[in-house]
Amino acid sequence: MKPGGNFIACFYIKGKSKRTDWLVKNILAKKGWFSPPFQTEKELRDILQKLYKETDIHVDGSMVYFRCVK
């Protein structure tokens, strides 16, 4: 990604809902619909803040939506 480029994504984060964690681990990942590794909110924030100069992160239940600038 070029400097100033945007990275926009959304995906599942673990640790917000036991029911969702179970569903992802035991059904959705086994079907290939979700791929590990799965990060917690804190792990993801740490990763994104190290890689990008600007991060805008929103969590809604077990989903995280973000926009980062390189």
Side-chain angles (χ1 to χ4, degrees), residues 22-36 38:
W22 184 91
L23 179 68
V24 169
K25 179 182 175 185
N26 295 292
I27 297 176
L28 301 178
K30 288 180 180 181
K31 288 183 176 256
W33 295 354
F34 284 60
S35 301
F38 304 117

Side-chain angles (χ1 to χ4, degrees), residues 21 25 41 45 61-62:
D21 291 346
K25 179 182 175 185
E41 179 182 354
R45 284 183 186 277
S62 293

Side-chain angles (χ1 to χ4, degrees), residues 17-55:
S17 165
K18 288 182 182 185
R19 182 176 292 161
T20 303
D21 291 346
W22 184 91
L23 179 68
V24 169
K25 179 182 175 185
N26 295 292
I27 297 176
L28 301 178
K30 288 180 180 181
K31 288 183 176 256
W33 295 354
F34 284 60
S35 301
F38 304 117
Q39 289 90 22
T40 64
E41 179 182 354
K42 182 184 180 334
E43 291 168 340
L44 178 63
R45 284 183 186 277
D46 291 345
I47 291 167
L48 294 177
Q49 288 173 349
K50 286 179 187 175
L51 294 174
Y52 298 94
K53 69 178 183 178
E54 182 183 328
T55 59

Side-chain angles (χ1 to χ4, degrees), residues 44-45 48-49 55-59 64-68:
L44 178 63
R45 284 183 186 277
L48 294 177
Q49 288 173 349
T55 59
D56 184 19
I57 302 168
H58 300 277
V59 176
V64 62
Y65 307 88
F66 60 88
R67 176 179 135 320
C68 301

